[in-house]
Amino acid sequence: MALALSLGRRGQGATWPNPAVGCVVVSRGRIVGRGWTRAGGRPHAETVALAQAGEAARGADVFVTLEPCAHHGQTPPCAQTLIDAGVSRVVMAVADSDPRVDGLGAKMLRDAGIVVETGLMGDLAFEDHDGFLRRTVMGRPMVTLKMASSLDGRIATGTGESQWITGSGARRLVHGMRARHDAVMVGGGTARHDDPSLTVRDLGIQHQPVRVVVSRRLDLPLLGNLARTARDIPVLLCHGKDADKTLIRTWQDLGATLLSCRSSGIHLDTEDVLAQLGAHGLTRIFCEGGSALAASLIEADLVDRLVSFTAGMTIGAEGLPNVGALGLASLGQARRFTLQSVRAIGADTLTVWTR
């Protein structure tokens, strides 16, 4: 199952709206088939692993990170594929909360006389499939908030200089994190000030995450990196219902996809933004700020995982904080996260927190 989980992670960021599943087929103590969900969500992991195993799959044990699907989509149900292959046992890490599956895959297998076991390494599998499961249950993707700041929590100097606070090792790791998410998201202020590309670079990875910008008025650079590359790498703009119609048409002509979202005061309603992104099929969002968007996500309790890179420098109170104003009156109102891990990345420190 540990191997199946590691295989499934190879597909993270490239399989949405489908889950990134891993599968291993074992016959008489020997691995005869391995597979993971391919880019675009097909073929599924079980299909790939069974094809590799061939006739050796008959009577074999199958280890899969998520309950095999039971519904007819663009491909036949994986539960039926396992039945047709003649496997004797299926060990699945977690059940699929998709209403089209949710126990039906396991039932199909049991009805065919196949032994089904659930829960092996379930905690790790749930973490890997959190985005897909959260979207099917809550209608929104999983959100990872990434922050890179000085020791005193600043992401830029008072003059706006921000490149680079953290070192090259941390920046390279961020590209790897981007690659394992369906989309990279920033606020309009970051898009205007930094003119980011939001792409995965220098890792030899073929697929690129969707670039998401949250901007109520769509007052974004029309000659910037995102605008110039929108036809080559997807750009998705979340805007307010009061956004200028001419700007909407201009961005559509440039190749961007636009989602109209509810507003909450002068900002977009982040709950509705994530609901719209979930409806679009996205399951894993990697948010890279800025401070206002980070604050709105934290305030709405929408951050599932917080990744913080800290550099050994101080910038001072005149610098820009990594999180904008939250309006807290007491410490009891502050969101608390659970520390998952700490490690050094070159001269920087990486801490990972979960809700």
Side-chain angles (χ1 to χ4, degrees), residues 42-288:
R42 288 175 298 276
H44 292 182
E46 298 94 326
T47 302
V48 176
L50 290 171
Q52 188 180 96
E55 280 302 311
R58 194 160 297 279
D61 296 336
V62 176
F63 297 83
V64 62
T65 62
L66 186 69
E67 180 180 1
C69 60
H71 62 285
H72 283 270
Q74 295 189 31
T75 57
C78 289
Q80 187 62 52
T81 303
L82 289 163
I83 294 168
D84 295 342
V87 306
S88 64
R89 182 172 69 129
V90 174
V91 182
M92 59 188 199
V94 290
D96 189 342
S97 56
D98 187 324
R100 298 171 299 177
V101 184
D102 198 9
L104 296 178
K107 183 178 185 303
M108 280 182 65
L109 296 170
R110 290 192 177 101
D111 288 348
I114 296 171
V115 175
V116 177
E117 299 173 17
T118 307
L120 181 62
M121 301 186 76
D123 289 347
L124 287 175
F126 183 84
E127 185 176 324
D128 285 352
H129 294 302
D130 187 14
F132 173 77
L133 298 174
R134 195 172 294 277
R135 177 176 174 265
T136 58
V137 173
M138 302 175 66
R140 73 163 179 87
M142 180 200 77
V143 175
T144 299
L145 174 61
K146 187 272 294 185
M147 297 188 293
S149 64
S150 61
L151 287 171
D152 52 345
R154 296 311 197 249
I155 59 175
T157 66
T159 61
E161 183 182 355
S162 61
Q163 297 181 346
W164 296 101
I165 290 176
T166 54
S168 60
R171 297 197 297 274
R172 183 175 177 83
L173 184 55
V174 166
H175 282 268
M177 292 177 175
R178 285 179 180 178
R180 290 182 58 188
H181 287 75
D182 306 342
V184 178
M185 181 169 72
V186 297
T190 298
R192 286 188 295 272
H193 183 270
D194 295 344
D195 189 23
S197 297
L198 303 180
T199 54
V200 176
R201 300 185 292 279
D202 302 325
L203 295 182
I205 292 173
Q206 297 301 313
H207 79 273
Q208 289 288 346
V210 176
R211 284 92 55 83
V212 177
V213 181
V214 180
S215 174
R216 183 174 69 86
R217 295 186 298 172
L218 279 181
D219 48 342
L220 304 170
L222 292 173
L223 298 176
N225 284 320
L226 295 174
R228 289 200 308 271
T229 60
R231 292 196 182 280
D232 303 315
I233 304 170
V235 171
L236 201 160
L237 303 179
C238 298
H239 63 86
K241 299 183 184 300
D242 58 346
D244 185 277
K245 299 295 189 294
T246 301
L247 284 175
I248 292 175
R249 287 193 297 270
T250 299
W251 276 103
Q252 288 173 332
D253 290 342
L254 288 169
T257 299
L258 284 88
L259 298 180
S260 177
C261 304
R262 289 197 309 264
S263 296
S264 178
I266 63 172
H267 301 292
L268 289 182
D269 183 329
T270 46
E271 288 191 17
D272 190 54
V273 167
L274 291 183
Q276 298 280 357
L277 294 175
H280 191 69
L282 296 171
T283 66
R284 293 167 59 86
I285 304 291
F286 191 65
C287 179
E288 298 197 39

Side-chain angles (χ1 to χ4, degrees), residues 328-336:
L328 301 182
S330 67
L331 285 177
Q333 296 174 295
R335 301 290 180 196
R336 289 192 179 272

Side-chain angles (χ1 to χ4, degrees), residues 140 271 295-304 335-337 355:
R140 73 163 179 87
E271 288 191 17
S296 65
L297 289 168
I298 292 172
E299 188 175 23
D301 195 21
L302 295 172
V303 176
D304 305 300
R335 301 290 180 196
R336 289 192 179 272
F337 295 87
R355 64 161 52 251

